[in-house]
């Protein structure tokens, strides 16, 4: 079959061996207790604890996942990415409840679970955290950016931002968690 111009061959990930732990705070249990989530290259792996099956959240962004956060109520999972040079890096917000429902029915199409792809930071997203009520997400830029941004998850927009510090900041957390 001939390809239309601009189409690329796609290689699908079928299996995973191991967890490197190279991403700080990268291993998470979902609040429902049925899955563990961790980054692997440019995707996030959801591993079912009962069946040991692996499922992949892949936004089609060919950039390494640099951080992961899950909302307290289990509605969302967010991934921060890093880019080469001075390009903008993405934050992908996923509907985790929808992903788990699709996994349960063996019909996961991860692109259907993307809520927002947010861009603000240069080169790397260092850390992410959801507010206690899950309405907001904070993202922290890496060494070349170091900006702190608060996002409205419902609207997919940045509502405020500020430099985090004069030097490198490594983590961000909401108060009263």
């Amino acid at each position: 079959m001939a390809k239309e111009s601009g189409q690329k061959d796609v290689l699908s990930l079928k299996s995973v061996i191991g967890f490197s732990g190279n991403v700080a705070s990268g291993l998470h249990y979902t609040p429902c207790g049925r899955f563990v989530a961790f980054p692997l290259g440019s995707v996030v792996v959801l591993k079912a604890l009962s069946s040991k099956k692996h499922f992949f959240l892949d936004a089609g962004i060919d950039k390494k996942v640099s951080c992961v956060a899950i909302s307290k109520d289990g509605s969302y999972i967010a991934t921060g990415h890093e880019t080469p040079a001075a390009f903008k890096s993405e934050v992908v917000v996923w509907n985790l409840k929808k992903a788990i429902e699709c996994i349960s029915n063996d019909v996961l199409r991860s692109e259907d679970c993307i809520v927002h792809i947010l861009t603000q930071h240069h080169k790397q997203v260092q850390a992410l955290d959801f507010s206690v009520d899950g309405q907001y997400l904070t993202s922290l830029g890496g060494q070349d950016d170091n900006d702190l941004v608060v996002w409205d998850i419902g609207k997919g927009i940045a509502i405020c931002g500020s430099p985090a510090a004069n030097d490198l900041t490594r983590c961000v957390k909401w108060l009263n968690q």
Side-chain angles (χ1 to χ4, degrees):
M1 175 187 273
K3 281 192 245 179
E4 293 180 28
S5 65
Q7 285 187 333
K8 297 190 290 187
D9 287 330
V10 177
L11 182 62
S12 297
L13 187 61
K14 298 231 184 235
S15 183
V16 176
I17 300 172
F19 167 69
S20 69
N22 289 336
V23 174
S25 301
L27 184 64
H28 294 267
Y29 279 101
T30 58
C32 69
R34 297 176 21 222
F35 296 88
V36 65
F38 58 91
L40 180 70
S42 63
V43 302
V44 171
V45 178
L46 287 175
K47 181 178 180 180
L49 297 175
S50 60
S51 68
K52 307 295 185 213
K53 285 185 178 180
H54 295 90
F55 305 93
F56 308 101
L57 296 179
D58 183 359
I61 298 171
D62 192 25
K63 300 169 187 164
K64 180 181 164 195
V65 173
S66 56
C67 53
V68 178
I70 296 179
S71 64
K72 308 304 176 249
D73 66 355
S75 294
Y76 302 106
I77 183 169
T79 58
H81 297 260
E82 64 181 78
T83 64
F87 296 105
K88 293 220 177 207
S89 51
E90 293 87 357
V91 173
V92 182
V93 180
W94 307 85
N95 183 327
L96 182 57
K97 287 185 177 182
K98 182 176 181 179
I100 289 172
E101 181 182 314
C102 290
I103 289 167
S104 299
N105 296 324
D106 279 335
V107 291
L108 180 62
R109 288 177 19 107
S110 60
E111 60 272 12
D112 293 341
C113 300
I114 296 173
V115 178
H116 301 293
I117 297 178
L118 312 169
T119 55
Q120 181 69 34
H121 300 289
H122 296 282
K123 196 169 180 181
Q124 180 183 8
V125 179
Q126 180 73 29
L128 297 166
D129 196 35
F130 285 95
S131 62
V132 177
D133 61 7
Q135 293 183 30
Y136 304 100
L137 174 71
T138 53
S139 61
L140 176 65
Q143 183 174 359
D144 295 327
D145 181 291
N146 210 33
D147 283 344
L148 178 68
V149 179
V150 179
W151 302 90
D152 181 316
I153 296 300
K155 297 177 183 175
I157 59 170
I159 57 172
C160 65
S162 175
N166 290 332
D167 56 0
L168 178 63
T169 306
R170 298 195 184 271
C171 66
V172 61
K173 289 288 180 192
W174 285 84
L175 186 61
N176 295 325
Q177 295 213 42

